[in-house]
Amino acid sequence: MSHCHDEHHGHGHGHNHNHDDHDHDHSDDVTPALQSSLYQQIHFDDIVTLNEARRHAGRAVVQKTWAERLSAQPELASDADEQLLMTVPSASNRLSRFTAQVKLHSVLIRTSPSACAPRTLHLYVNHDNLDFATVEDLEPVQKLELSQTSEVQEVPVKRALFGKVQRLVLFFVDNFGDGDEDVSRISYLGFKGEWTRLGKAPTNILYEAAAQPGDHKLKGTSVNKMGHGVG
């Protein structure tokens, strides 16, 4: 665990050292990212992350903007074990769902090259109040395999399965520690897709998020195209 912790902080130092590269990324990527942003479609206050080590860390991860995607903090870290379970609802309605009908295209995530990096991500759509006991018995809509890297990964989903998303549940099943690392860490989380408001045409969106050290005690999830779907 200390080894993973050290690698994580080394990652942060590397980010500062390559500040010029960071700026270059911003100039190249921020405009297209904002043009396809789903960020405004999320109800941040209603995000629930189980097994997070620090309260509201999962929420803070999701609230991190595209411009902040390379920042080491805030960070989401798991608590009791390596699993995280995050429910991301929509923003403008009291039903805790997306403000419009969302068609999810991909998940954006940034972790690290360490053993703390999440490896397997299960996605569920429009479920309420899932916990670790119920999610284990539920077949995911799709299973994704993540990469062990400090780059932002863009992991595509099967679009036909995510055409009417009102609430997205992300279950980080394990990490690259192979059972020897109890902490999973995520520093950025976002989503790309398109959405349709009532009476309006579909709009491209990128749903962004940031990661922090954890919230509850159950389980919860940057843009380099290194991850891929396995389910």
Side-chain angles (χ1 to χ4, degrees):
M1 181 167 154
S2 59
H3 177 62
C4 179
H5 186 68
D6 291 341
E7 284 192 67
H8 172 75
H9 282 282
H11 168 205
H13 293 314
H15 166 64
N16 293 333
H17 180 71
N18 296 318
H19 186 67
D20 290 339
D21 292 336
H22 184 176
D23 289 340
H24 178 72
D25 286 341
H26 278 217
S27 62
D28 285 351
D29 301 337
V30 68
T31 299
L34 292 177
Q35 288 176 341
S36 60
S37 182
L38 241 190
Y39 193 76
Q40 299 300 322
Q41 308 307 315
I42 308 304
H43 199 312
F44 300 112
D45 289 346
D46 287 344
I47 291 173
V48 175
T49 305
L50 303 181
N51 197 43
E52 56 184 358
R54 182 178 301 174
R55 184 173 177 77
H56 299 321
R59 178 189 302 179
V61 180
V62 177
Q63 284 188 291
K64 190 181 289 187
T65 65
W66 175 252
E68 298 169 324
R69 68 194 183 281
L70 299 182
S71 300
Q73 296 296 329
E75 179 193 58
L76 171 62
S78 63
D79 189 12
D81 59 25
E82 75 277 14
Q83 294 189 322
L84 288 161
L85 184 63
M86 177 185 288
T87 300
V88 181
S90 84
S92 75
N93 84 41
R94 293 300 176 185
L95 297 178
S96 296
R97 299 185 177 187
F98 283 104
T99 57
Q101 179 171 300
V102 170
K103 296 180 181 180
L104 184 66
H105 293 175
S106 60
V107 175
L108 310 176
I109 183 170
R110 184 175 186 242
T111 58
S112 75
S114 75
C116 291
R119 176 161 51 188
T120 308
L121 171 60
H122 291 181
L123 299 179
Y124 304 83
V125 173
N126 302 339
H127 281 281
D128 295 319
N129 305 315
L130 284 184
D131 57 25
F132 289 106
T134 56
V135 77
E136 293 282 4
D137 296 326
L138 190 64
E139 184 66 22
V141 174
Q142 188 173 355
K143 299 177 182 180
L144 302 177
E145 181 179 303
L146 306 178
S147 297
Q148 194 174 16
T149 175
S150 61
E151 298 295 326
V152 177
Q153 303 171 59
E154 179 172 358
V155 190
V157 301
K158 295 179 179 178
R159 298 187 184 187
L161 303 178
F162 295 86
K164 297 181 179 180
V165 181
Q166 295 173 308
R167 185 181 291 99
L168 185 67
V169 180
L170 304 94
F171 176 30
F172 295 89
V173 181
D174 55 16
N175 59 27
F176 284 90
D178 294 322
D180 295 327
E181 177 52 62
D182 291 337
V183 179
S184 293
R185 298 177 183 273
I186 299 164
S187 62
Y188 175 82
L189 181 63
F191 307 90
K192 279 186 177 180
E194 62 183 40
W195 57 276
T196 304
R197 274 194 205 279
L198 292 178
K200 294 191 176 183
T203 302
N204 288 332
I205 53 180
L206 159 64
Y207 166 46
E208 306 179 350
Q212 220 180 8
D215 223 345
H216 295 50
K217 288 191 175 182
L218 297 188
K219 313 175 181 182
T221 111
S222 304
V223 174
N224 186 344
K225 297 182 180 178
M226 301 181 72
H228 62 278
V230 296

